[in-house]
Amino acid sequence: MKLRLGILGADDSMEIIESVTQEFEELECLKIVYWNEEDIFDLIEPHIHDADLWLFSGKVPYTMVKEWGKISVPMAYVPHMGASLYRTLLHLSHQCEIKVRELSFDTFSARELILFLKEAGIDEGYTWLLHYDGAITAGELADYHEKLWREGKTKAAVTCLRTADMELRARGVPVHRVLPTRAGVLSVIHMLLRTHEMLHFKDTQIAVQIMEIDPLRELAGGTFATDEWQNAEIKTMEKLLRYTKHLQGSLKTAGPGRYAIFTTRGIMQNVTSDYRAMPDLDEAFGIHAEWVTCGIGIGKTAYEAEIHAGTALLHAKERGPGHWMVFFDDKSIAGPLGSQEQISYSSASSDRLQTLSQQTSLSVLTLSKLDSILKKRRSQEINAHELAQYMQILPRSARRILMELESNGLAQVVGEESPNPRGRPRKVYRIIL
């Protein structure tokens, strides 16, 4: 079966991209041409699930769709660096006799442009550049280039955005559009195909789910006769067998009240919404979620996945009944699933965290958790109460961690917060890892 490649781009870029995709017999292309950035979401939304891969003609549409967050398959855009830019500058230099310093650029980063000019043997540096990380409108780019041109600081604009090119032409500003090259398109398509292969391999990796369920919770009347115990276990097994069938997996017992389910990474990823939520066991299978403590392990072999699931279960049990944690094949840990305080941290030792661990009394795992919490919060500042909530530990343990960091110069008190008028003020620490 052919792979479906969605292509969204400007009209002039689409012609180049189409000429390349014709060389790939394994691709079936869905082509969408846009004329205004404001139309991109309306154009692409009806086709969200119609493609296995998405290719964008430039950085702006790619960034907009990525930030939109509704597409989960691999995406990429065709870069305008390299031969694309070299071809444009060669034309400007030889045909128009315009130097690099007399041009205004957009899209590229300063580092990219400096390295390109150096590699191209162009000794003169650039003067005017508008770099942007997120999305930007054609009007903003046109305003930037037009202002420089009208002030006599430049002789022409070099843009990577088709709509900005059209806008500048309408305003009478000399502009040259950097178009993608066939080689650039070819390289990105090969990269997308390799990414798809890698993800397909990952989906077929083994996933093991080890669940601890107390069968006594099934005994509503509080009787603990042997027969009642066995009946409770049989009921639990029947429910788990239905759940296992849903996962297209296999079930085995791993001790009293402990069960292991073997399935694939792709299926587990789907039922947990990409490892963000717990599956609805109660509604669909009659298993009360608050009775289940679970560890999910991912591995290249069943043995490795089962070992990882056991480790994940230990992390889940640290947080108490009803929690689910995941241990991936790259040694990273995520969870608790379904919690607002969910974080992802690594059990592997990086050189940076290993050095900090030796400098303090804190383990690499604790430091990795702290690092992930700060990244999730997008702030280097935190108090002990907040840290305790994220790490599911007592506030006094969180204070000990923060005081340990402070005593080693890795944290400093930057203020205090009062949760209520009578409450004890909480110190706010800025962490410097």
Side-chain angles (χ1 to χ4, degrees):
M1 192 171 75
K2 289 188 175 184
L3 284 174
R4 298 167 299 171
L5 174 66
I7 308 169
L8 186 140
D11 58 323
D12 52 357
S13 297
M14 189 65 77
E15 293 178 12
I16 299 169
I17 294 171
E18 275 190 281
S19 70
V20 177
T21 56
Q22 290 172 2
E23 301 176 13
F24 292 84
E25 293 182 357
E26 69 270 37
L27 292 178
E28 180 181 297
C29 297
L30 165 67
K31 298 178 284 290
I32 303 174
V33 175
Y34 76 94
W35 294 95
N36 191 315
E37 282 76 25
E38 295 176 359
D39 300 332
I40 285 177
F41 299 140
D42 290 336
L43 288 169
I44 204 170
E45 186 156 28
H47 304 287
I48 286 177
H49 304 295
D50 294 342
D52 304 302
L53 310 161
W54 279 96
L55 176 63
F56 299 87
S57 64
K59 183 178 179 180
V60 169
Y62 166 82
T63 305
M64 289 176 64
V65 174
K66 185 179 180 183
E67 291 177 352
W68 189 39
K70 291 191 177 182
I71 290 183
S72 57
V73 298
M75 301 187 298
Y77 68 91
V78 182
H80 292 82
M81 190 51 79
S84 300
L85 181 57
Y86 187 79
R87 180 177 60 190
T88 303
L89 294 183
L90 194 64
H91 171 77
L92 285 165
S93 173
H94 290 269
Q95 302 296 324
C96 307
E97 298 183 352
I98 299 177
K99 297 179 181 179
V100 172
R101 286 193 176 277
E102 298 171 321
L103 297 167
S104 55
F105 297 87
D106 62 45
T107 305
F108 313 114
S109 69
R111 182 174 178 275
E112 281 178 328
L113 196 50
I114 289 169
L115 284 174
F116 168 78
L117 293 174
K118 185 177 179 181
E119 289 175 356
I122 301 174
D123 295 330
E124 58 174 312
Y126 70 91
T127 306
W128 309 105
L129 170 65
L130 177 59
H131 172 66
Y132 51 91
D133 288 319
I136 195 168
T137 65
E140 289 176 272
L141 290 181
D143 290 344
Y144 169 77
H145 292 295
E146 183 183 16
K147 184 173 184 296
L148 292 170
W149 179 71
R150 296 204 181 278
E151 291 174 353
K153 294 176 180 177
T154 62
K155 290 185 177 180
V158 175
T159 184
C160 299
L161 192 64
R162 169 64 162 157
T163 49
D165 171 63
M166 295 168 63
E167 179 68 23
L168 286 165
R169 290 180 189 278
R171 297 183 188 187
V173 180
V175 58
H176 296 266
R177 161 105 153 106
V178 183
L179 283 166
T181 62
R182 283 179 52 84
V185 174
L186 192 65
S187 175
V188 174
I189 291 177
H190 279 302
M191 182 272 290
L192 275 173
L193 291 173
R194 288 197 301 271
T195 303
H196 181 269
E197 288 174 5
M198 180 191 72
L199 291 176
H200 178 71
F201 167 73
K202 273 194 163 186
D203 280 349
T204 59
Q205 282 184 304
I206 304 296
V208 175
Q209 186 176 354
I210 298 182
M211 309 169 77
E212 281 195 357
I213 306 174
D214 185 357
L216 292 178
R217 301 292 291 271
E218 291 278 6
L219 304 178
T223 57
F224 297 97
T226 304
D227 289 347
E228 293 296 331
W229 178 289
Q230 288 178 340
N231 287 336
E233 281 197 307
I234 291 170
K235 287 181 181 179
T236 299
M237 280 289 288
E238 288 174 348
K239 294 172 182 177
L240 285 175
L241 282 169
R242 292 200 301 272
Y243 174 58
T244 303
K245 185 178 180 180
H246 175 68
L247 297 181
Q248 301 176 38
S250 61
L251 172 71
K252 76 172 186 179
T253 57
R258 180 178 288 189
Y259 309 88
I261 298 173
F262 292 75
T263 182
T264 65
R265 180 177 187 150
I267 292 174
M268 186 55 62
Q269 186 169 338
N270 287 335
V271 298
T272 58
S273 300
D274 200 16
Y275 306 107
R276 292 192 300 269
M278 295 186 294
D280 188 2
L281 298 178
D282 200 344
E283 182 71 24
F285 307 100
I287 303 170
H288 297 293
E290 66 271 18
W291 298 358
V292 180
T293 307
C294 177
I296 299 171
I298 308 296
K300 298 178 181 65
T301 64
Y303 176 76
E304 182 183 66
E306 192 168 3
I307 294 297
H308 290 172
T311 304
L313 180 64
L314 291 176
H315 284 272
K317 291 176 72 172
E318 286 178 1
R319 295 172 179 267
H323 287 96
W324 290 42
M325 301 291 288
V326 187
F327 193 106
F328 295 98
D329 54 331
D330 63 357
K331 311 300 180 187
S332 64
I333 303 166
L337 302 191
S339 168
Q340 290 185 341
E341 285 76 36
Q342 178 172 336
I343 58 173
S344 178
Y345 51 94
S346 177
S347 67
S349 173
S350 70
D351 291 340
R352 176 174 64 95
L353 295 182
Q354 186 66 48
T355 301
L356 294 177
S357 178
Q358 293 170 356
Q359 185 179 336
T360 66
S361 64
L362 304 175
S363 68
V364 171
L365 190 59
T366 296
L367 290 167
S368 181
K369 286 182 183 179
L370 178 59
D371 198 24
S372 296
I373 291 167
L374 297 175
K375 288 177 181 175
K376 180 180 177 68
R377 288 166 52 87
R378 296 183 180 178
S379 171
Q380 297 301 113
E381 297 180 3
I382 196 168
N383 62 45
H385 180 75
E386 292 166 334
L387 183 60
Q389 280 188 314
Y390 274 100
M391 298 186 75
Q392 294 287 293
I393 57 178
L394 294 173
R396 65 169 177 268
S397 299
R399 281 193 290 272
R400 182 187 68 79
I401 292 172
L402 293 170
M403 290 170 65
E404 177 68 15
L405 291 170
E406 184 186 17
S407 66
N408 285 278
L410 299 173
Q412 62 184 65
V413 178
V414 294
E416 289 187 342
E417 294 176 340
S418 297
N420 54 66
R422 296 184 180 182
R424 176 181 171 184
R426 295 169 179 167
K427 291 181 179 179
V428 178
Y429 291 82
R430 177 176 291 129
I431 313 299
I432 312 154
L433 294 183

